[in-house]
Amino acid sequence: MRYASNKADWKNKVLNYVFRRKQSAQGGEFEFIMCFAKDLAKCNPTALIDLTRILLRPLQSELLLSVIENKSHCARSSIDPYKFFMPDGPSEIQIPFGCPRLDSEKFLVHLSCDPILPCPWHREDYANSLAGIGRRKKCGSWEEDAANHNVTLWLPWGIAFVHGGNHSIASGIVGGEGVLRPKDVYDMGRLLDLVQCDGKYYQSRRDHKMLDVVRDYKIAALFEVGRLMQKHRIMPMAI
């Protein structure tokens, strides 16, 4: 029993060591990104929109590939916007209730470049969309379907979360064509007012209490880039 206990202790120590090393590395990468973001803001704050696209491109690619590289029903699950930055953080400050809701008619999402995050999950439906939708394909150029496409836009970052039409939206991204209007647009600046991130932890700005740990330095940097966008009043996807 003592041997088993010692073995478990050793395993926990190794896991903790790996986690600390990973956090340390992420902290460095986070700082590099934030230095770049601040320099960019000095030159041209509007270019922060491009930086958010760069930071979210790896996640978008992962989502587009997940159903292809896995067997049926094993693709990555859809993204819950209210857990996007802090999966284990307090949900009450991550929901848009009470946040300003803006006029969606004044915003457009361009599938060719904007950071929209679909989660295609059905292999056959995805294949049919990729094979049929787009210029010089049997269904023709990509077109918005208001009855099917459901996208929520979070500002100041300009993150477009998909709640409906995942497969056809994914085909538009891959084909580099298509424009759609979000159904809901929220100014989530309240989240930035309540939370800060140092690349390792998300913390309360009021009492510095730890709210969650950073799992992805790119998403952590994205969070703080939003603070710069808020400061410079940058509004992505506005018409």
Side-chain angles (χ1 to χ4, degrees), residues 140-161:
S141 298
W142 195 97
E143 293 183 4
E144 180 180 12
D145 180 357
N148 180 38
H149 297 145
N150 186 345
V151 171
T152 297
L153 181 61
W154 274 22
L155 300 174
W157 305 278
I159 310 171
F161 297 101

Side-chain angles (χ1 to χ4, degrees), residues 23 26-27 29-31 34 38 84-87 157 191-206 208-227:
Q23 276 207 312
Q26 290 192 149
E29 291 160 329
F30 172 88
E31 292 298 336
M34 291 312 303
K38 291 171 184 176
F84 181 71
F85 289 110
M86 298 182 291
W157 305 278
L191 188 56
L192 290 165
D193 294 337
L194 297 174
V195 180
Q196 62 188 19
C197 183
D198 62 2
K200 296 182 180 180
Y201 304 101
Y202 293 94
Q203 299 174 315
S204 167
R205 297 189 72 189
R206 180 174 60 85
H208 302 289
K209 177 182 177 181
M210 189 188 78
L211 303 175
D212 204 356
V213 298
V214 167
R215 293 162 181 78
D216 185 331
Y217 67 88
K218 295 183 291 296
I219 301 302
L222 175 72
F223 184 83
E224 288 299 325
V225 168
R227 197 178 308 283

Side-chain angles (χ1 to χ4, degrees), residues 71-122:
K71 60 184 180 181
S72 297
H73 309 297
C74 291
R76 174 169 173 158
S77 58
S78 60
I79 294 177
D80 184 349
Y82 319 136
K83 293 291 184 180
F84 181 71
F85 289 110
M86 298 182 291
D88 294 322
S91 59
E92 64 271 14
I93 65 173
Q94 300 185 75
I95 56 178
F97 299 135
C99 294
R101 186 175 180 179
L102 307 183
D103 184 359
S104 62
E105 293 293 319
K106 297 181 179 179
F107 295 85
L108 284 177
V109 180
H110 291 79
L111 304 189
S112 62
C113 60
D114 288 329
I116 183 168
L117 303 176
C119 296
W121 53 274
H122 192 283

Side-chain angles (χ1 to χ4, degrees), residues 64 111 118 120 125-135 137 140-143 149 165-178:
L64 294 174
L111 304 189
D125 288 352
Y126 195 21
N128 289 337
S129 293
L130 290 176
I133 301 175
R135 290 184 292 270
K137 295 180 181 179
S141 298
W142 195 97
E143 293 183 4
H149 297 145
N166 285 277
H167 301 95
S168 55
I169 287 175
S171 70
I173 294 171
V174 174
E177 61 176 290

Side-chain angles (χ1 to χ4, degrees), residues 29-30 33-34 36-37 48-60 84 115 117 157 216-226 229:
E29 291 160 329
F30 172 88
I33 294 173
M34 291 312 303
F36 185 89
L48 292 170
I49 295 175
D50 296 317
L51 181 56
T52 63
R53 291 169 175 167
I54 293 170
L55 292 173
L56 283 169
R57 190 63 58 83
L59 175 58
Q60 185 187 69
F84 181 71
L117 303 176
W157 305 278
D216 185 331
Y217 67 88
K218 295 183 291 296
I219 301 302
L222 175 72
F223 184 83
E224 288 299 325
V225 168
M229 299 175 80

